[in-house]
Amino acid sequence: MKRNKPQRKFLRISLILNLALLIPLLLRKPPIKDWVIVYLFNALTNILIDNTLANYKIVKYPLRLFSKSFDTHILFDCFIYPTFTIWYNQLTYKDKIIPIIYKLVLITIPPFLIELWAVKNTDLIKWSNKWKWYHTFFGLILKSLMTRLVIATVRKVENGVKFQQ
C-alpha cells in the first residue's frame, strides 16, 4: 500500500494542476463556444471508448481517482486529454491540413511517453497483450483529428447558416 501512496498523490496533483490550467485555457481565446464544444465532445467520446476498452479488459486502471464509481481513468478521460485537445485546437485554429497533422504528432509525443512510462513503472495503467504502444499513439492522433474535424464542421455549418439569413 505504501507503494501506491506517491502514485495517488501524483493523481491528485495532476487533477489540481489540470483544473488550474483548464479554466484560463477555455476562456483564453474566442470563440469560447468552440472550446466548450471541443471539451465536451472529447470528454464524452473518451468515456465511451475507454469504457469499452475497460469492459473488454484491454486496458486496466488498477489505481485511479474515484475507483469506486468508475472503471476508467476519469482524470485522463474528462480532464487531461480534453484540456490537451482544447490547447491543440487553439494552436491549429487557422492552420491547413499539413501543419495540423505535424503539430499534432509533435505535441502528442510527450503525453504518449508519459503514458508509456506509467505503464512500465506504475500501477496506474495496465495493457493487455492485445494492446501495444502504437495503439495508444495512433489512437491519440486519430481521436484528436476526429475532434478537430468535428469542430471544423460545426464552424462551417454555423457560417453557412449565417450566410443564408
Side-chain angles (χ1 to χ4, degrees):
M1 194 68 170
K2 279 193 173 209
R3 182 171 181 251
N4 290 341
K5 204 168 187 174
Q7 293 176 41
R8 286 198 180 279
K9 188 174 182 179
F10 172 77
L11 289 175
R12 286 188 202 104
I13 291 169
S14 296
L15 176 62
I16 292 167
L17 289 174
N18 194 82
L19 289 173
L21 177 67
L22 179 62
I23 294 169
L25 194 59
L26 274 173
L27 302 176
R28 188 177 110 193
K29 292 181 185 175
I32 294 169
K33 171 188 60 75
D34 288 6
W35 311 140
V36 172
I37 291 169
V38 165
Y39 183 87
L40 293 174
F41 175 80
N42 193 274
L44 179 64
T45 54
N46 289 344
I47 290 169
L48 293 173
I49 292 168
D50 209 12
N51 198 27
T52 302
L53 293 172
N55 284 338
Y56 284 102
K57 299 187 182 353
I58 294 170
V59 178
K60 294 179 187 175
Y61 305 101
L63 187 63
R64 62 193 179 277
L65 293 179
F66 313 114
S67 58
K68 292 180 181 170
S69 302
F70 299 99
D71 291 335
T72 62
H73 196 313
I74 209 72
L75 174 62
F76 182 80
D77 292 344
C78 292
F79 296 102
I80 294 173
Y81 187 48
T83 303
F84 164 83
T85 306
I86 292 168
W87 179 67
Y88 162 70
N89 277 273
Q90 288 178 351
L91 185 67
T92 62
Y93 181 64
K94 295 182 180 183
D95 288 347
K96 301 286 185 210
I97 190 70
I98 299 299
I100 286 171
I101 292 171
Y102 82 74
K103 285 179 183 178
L104 178 59
V105 170
L106 288 176
I107 64 175
T108 300
I109 291 172
F112 165 72
L113 291 175
I114 291 169
E115 180 170 337
L116 198 59
W117 174 84
V119 167
K120 293 179 187 262
N121 298 305
T122 71
D123 293 324
L124 299 174
I125 307 166
K126 299 291 180 204
W127 294 341
S128 78
N129 292 335
K130 299 174 187 175
W131 196 262
K132 305 292 182 213
W133 67 268
Y134 50 85
H135 292 117
T136 296
F137 185 69
F138 292 114
L140 286 171
I141 289 173
L142 186 63
K143 178 77 172 37
S144 296
L145 286 173
M146 184 176 76
T147 304
R148 182 73 168 75
L149 180 63
V150 165
I151 196 60
T153 303
V154 167
R155 287 182 192 131
K156 282 194 185 273
V157 168
E158 185 179 57
N159 288 336
V161 171
K162 286 181 183 176
F163 288 120
Q164 292 175 1
Q165 292 177 348

